[in-house]
Amino acid sequence: MKLVPLGDRVVLKQLIAEETTKSGIVLPGQTKEKPQQAEVIAVGPGGVVDGKEIEMHVTVGQKVIYSKYAGTEVELDDETYIIVKQNDILAIVE
């Protein structure tokens, strides 16, 4: 099964938070807040939303930063995804 977003929606998979010590030891899961960085898994077609033509600016595979409280969490096949509107994406990480 796969998620196919509608309109200006984007499906994201949150990146795993890792914290590295000064000596280089990686301690996963030590941060208290969820990271706001994710990978784009699927992109909706855009189209007309609220009377405005929406062009999608992200593509599958890009890493993005999204708003802290944006989107809806969905669990599918033991994976957690976040569905957000394109305007909840703040930046593309290159």
Side-chain angles (χ1 to χ4, degrees):
M1 212 180 330
K2 70 178 192 173
L3 292 172
V4 179
L6 302 175
D8 66 337
R9 302 281 199 287
V10 179
V11 178
L12 303 175
K13 182 170 182 180
Q14 197 167 28
L15 298 178
I16 298 170
E18 292 186 8
E19 187 175 303
T20 307
T21 64
K22 291 180 183 178
S23 61
I25 298 172
V26 177
L27 304 170
Q30 295 296 317
T31 57
K32 292 183 181 178
E33 292 185 15
K34 291 181 181 179
Q36 292 172 254
Q37 202 169 12
E39 181 180 355
V40 177
I41 302 299
V43 179
V48 178
V49 177
D50 295 330
K52 297 179 184 176
E53 184 71 28
I54 302 294
E55 178 186 337
M56 301 307 282
H57 298 286
V58 294
T59 57
V60 173
Q62 287 183 316
K63 305 247 186 304
V64 296
I65 296 173
Y66 61 94
S67 293
K68 191 174 213 168
Y69 300 107
T72 302
E73 283 193 6
V74 177
E75 193 167 315
L76 182 68
D77 298 333
D78 297 326
E79 294 282 343
T80 301
Y81 300 100
I82 304 163
I83 301 174
V84 300
K85 287 188 172 188
Q86 180 176 246
N87 58 350
D88 288 328
I89 296 175
L90 305 175
I92 298 171
V93 179
E94 294 183 345

